[in-house]
Amino acid sequence: MQNESTVTPWEVKGEVDYEALIREFGVEPLNDELLERIKKHAGYLHVLLRRRMFFAHRELGDWISSYENGVNAVLYTGRGPSGQTHLGHLIPWIFTRYLQEAFHADLYFQITDDEKFLVSPKLTQEEIRGYTRDNIIDIIATGFEPGKTKIFVDLAYTRQLYNIAVRVAKHVTFSTAKATFGFTDSSNIGIIFFPAMQAAPCFLPQTLTGKDAHVLIPCAIDQEPYWRISRDVAPKLNYRKPAGVYSKFIPGLGAGGKMSASLPETAIFLSDTPEEAAKKVKNAFTGGQPTVKEQKEKGGKPEECVVYSYLYSLFDEDDSSVLKTYNDCRSGCIMCGTCKNRLAEKVAAFLKEHQKRRAQAREIVDKFILE
Ligand code: TYM
């Protein structure tokens, strides 16, 4: 059977088959044993784990063992500042914050302003600088620990990163880069080098401290190709291979596809007013029947419903409540409007809280930036 979907760091298209991706990318599914090990340290299981929004990993167990054996176990994640932050970006960040608390870990947070300039035909450096400032406020507002969180912007922190990136780049052939990222003769030469810049922070903690460290990268599965080359190169530079833990994509509010800033009417931006977000939710694609009568007779399809998927993956942590929504929908006891209202309320409350924290975050940016 042909799989029509595409998942690369720069494009996610079609209906993603996550089971197939596990095989294609050679990663492991998250299992109950690993979840128990995380729970032991965190004290509870995050809803993103319980509901398997985070679904795959590479050597997560080894990373936890490193932590348990006193190795410096650190986290690394990032953001490409090509627009305003939306809810999808927040999925790995919320999870990273949970891991930071559970494992008392330092977090290295890369902002790839170089990448977004190189891949976008239209964005100017000035625009990207604006998004960089704005995205950093969202990152800080997510609640990372000051003092343990180091945010660095590629075009400002170049000296440190470039030093590592050239060492990485020397071990990656053009043929490997083409096979991993799909570069062609018309790719610009900047983006061909860029994977070395995104691999570099895997080795930044060791470079800065002069000591051993074990890096874990939480992100959505689209970023995984970068870690393949990072892991290949690591032993050649005498470092541990970075581990990874990967999430699925939160869908856009329309029919099909991941949430993406290029479809603003189907994305919830963290800068949306609660009213704007509620309006988007009310226009969302659902698994409901065309009429109330049919919905009552046949019931809806929660597994195809975007509104249900948001409740399930993030916004309704109560297992019995989410199961009731599922059953009520299937049996036609509940109409789409009710679910939309419930989600709109939850999203509005979430945005209000985030926007309050954004105002506080502005005052403490300096505490987070690596110069
Ligand atoms: P970027 O800015 O495209 O995305 C930031 C993070 O959000 C994840 N993501 C999503 N997760 C769930 N649902 C979605 N709809 C969704 N859309 C995006 C991405 O996987 C990513 O984790 N090149 C990177 C920046 C980067 C980075 C890193 C990311 C540099 N170093 C290390 C992760 C880890 C980028 O442009 O991400």
Side-chain angles (χ1 to χ4, degrees):
M1 218 171 61
Q2 265 212 320
N3 181 0
E4 298 294 337
S5 73
T6 310
V7 177
T8 77
W10 303 297
E11 189 182 29
V12 178
K13 240 181 23 201
E15 188 72 28
V16 180
D17 177 344
Y18 291 103
E19 292 300 314
L21 268 192
I22 285 181
R23 289 190 298 276
E24 192 186 320
F25 285 2
V27 295
E28 303 282 324
L30 269 184
N31 59 29
D32 290 341
E33 188 208 326
L34 275 170
L35 263 51
E36 273 309 305
R37 290 186 70 190
I38 296 176
K39 188 176 168 194
K40 197 179 106 205
H41 293 287
Y44 70 103
L45 266 188
H46 199 280
V47 66
L48 292 168
L49 278 177
R50 275 199 283 131
R51 306 268 169 83
R52 292 294 203 277
M53 187 67 183
F54 273 80
F55 74 110
H57 76 102
R58 250 188 225 281
E59 295 176 0
L60 175 60
D62 291 349
W63 184 82
I64 299 173
S65 298
S66 284
Y67 170 76
E68 288 166 347
N69 294 327
V71 175
N72 184 23
V74 305
L75 297 161
Y76 159 41
T77 196
R79 161 77 178 134
S82 56
Q84 288 179 326
T85 314
H86 61 58
L87 236 135
H89 303 127
L90 219 60
I91 297 285
W93 305 351
I94 291 172
F95 187 60
T96 303
R97 186 194 60 196
Y98 162 77
L99 292 177
Q100 179 175 55
E101 275 169 22
F103 294 94
H104 316 285
D106 281 343
L107 164 64
Y108 291 79
F109 206 120
Q110 180 179 37
I111 311 286
T112 54
D113 52 349
D114 48 351
E115 173 194 19
K116 294 301 161 180
F117 180 64
L118 290 165
V119 292
S120 163
K122 289 208 197 98
L123 279 176
T124 64
Q125 285 191 305
E126 190 47 39
E127 286 167 316
I128 292 172
R129 266 194 291 275
Y131 290 133
T132 295
R133 278 191 294 273
D134 196 68
N135 291 177
I136 288 175
I137 307 278
D138 283 320
I139 292 162
I140 295 171
T142 309
F144 295 112
E145 243 183 87
K148 284 185 105 38
T149 304
K150 301 153 210 306
I151 303 175
F152 49 96
V153 180
D154 284 1
L155 288 173
Y157 197 57
T158 319
R159 194 160 153 230
Q160 279 290 359
L161 289 176
Y162 190 65
N163 256 291
I164 307 173
V166 288
R167 288 196 280 141
V168 171
K170 197 167 178 177
H171 293 288
V172 184
T173 64
F174 183 43
S175 140
T176 301
K178 269 200 294 193
T180 312
F181 296 97
F183 296 135
T184 64
D185 279 357
S186 46
S187 305
N188 71 60
I189 57 174
I191 200 61
I192 293 165
F193 177 77
F194 173 76
M197 287 296 279
Q198 185 153 327
C202 297
F203 315 118
L204 181 62
Q206 303 85 327
T207 310
L208 289 178
T209 62
K211 293 193 192 127
D212 184 17
H214 201 162
V215 173
L216 172 69
I217 309 162
C219 59
I221 190 76
D222 59 333
Q223 302 295 310
E224 207 277 334
Y226 288 110
W227 322 131
R228 262 176 262 159
I229 63 156
S230 312
R231 289 168 55 81
D232 281 352
V233 168
K236 297 178 183 148
L237 301 180
N238 280 330
Y239 295 123
R240 287 174 195 264
K241 292 182 180 194
V245 58
Y246 309 123
S247 79
K248 299 177 186 168
F249 305 107
I250 199 168
L253 292 162
K258 74 158 192 163
M259 185 174 283
S260 161
S262 57
L263 295 169
E265 65 288 357
T266 65
I268 295 173
F269 293 98
L270 300 184
S271 53
D272 283 348
T273 62
E275 294 75 29
E276 279 166 341
K279 199 167 148 205
K280 289 180 187 179
V281 170
K282 287 182 184 160
N283 288 327
F285 176 79
T286 70
Q289 301 292 348
T291 64
V292 171
K293 185 168 173 280
E294 280 179 84
Q295 174 84 358
K296 282 186 177 161
E297 279 166 18
K298 301 181 192 158
K301 297 179 188 144
E303 35 307 270
E304 290 174 18
C305 179
V306 168
V307 174
Y308 177 75
S309 86
Y310 281 36
L311 289 169
Y312 181 82
S313 36
L314 189 64
F315 286 104
D316 191 354
E317 296 199 21
D318 180 340
D319 289 341
S320 58
S321 152
V322 89
L323 181 66
K324 181 168 169 10
T325 305
Y326 182 91
N327 289 335
D328 285 353
C329 173
R330 289 238 64 156
S331 58
C333 297
I334 194 176
M335 300 298 125
C336 296
T338 312
C339 278
K340 283 180 174 175
N341 284 340
R342 192 183 297 161
L343 179 64
E345 256 174 46
K346 286 182 186 276
V347 170
F350 178 87
L351 288 178
K352 245 175 141 173
E353 180 58 30
H354 183 82
Q355 286 161 10
K356 200 170 86 198
R357 287 204 306 258
R358 259 185 72 97
Q360 295 157 352
R362 281 178 205 287
E363 310 297 317
I364 51 170
V365 172
D366 289 350
K367 290 191 182 163
F368 289 83
I369 304 292
L370 262 190
E371 299 289 356

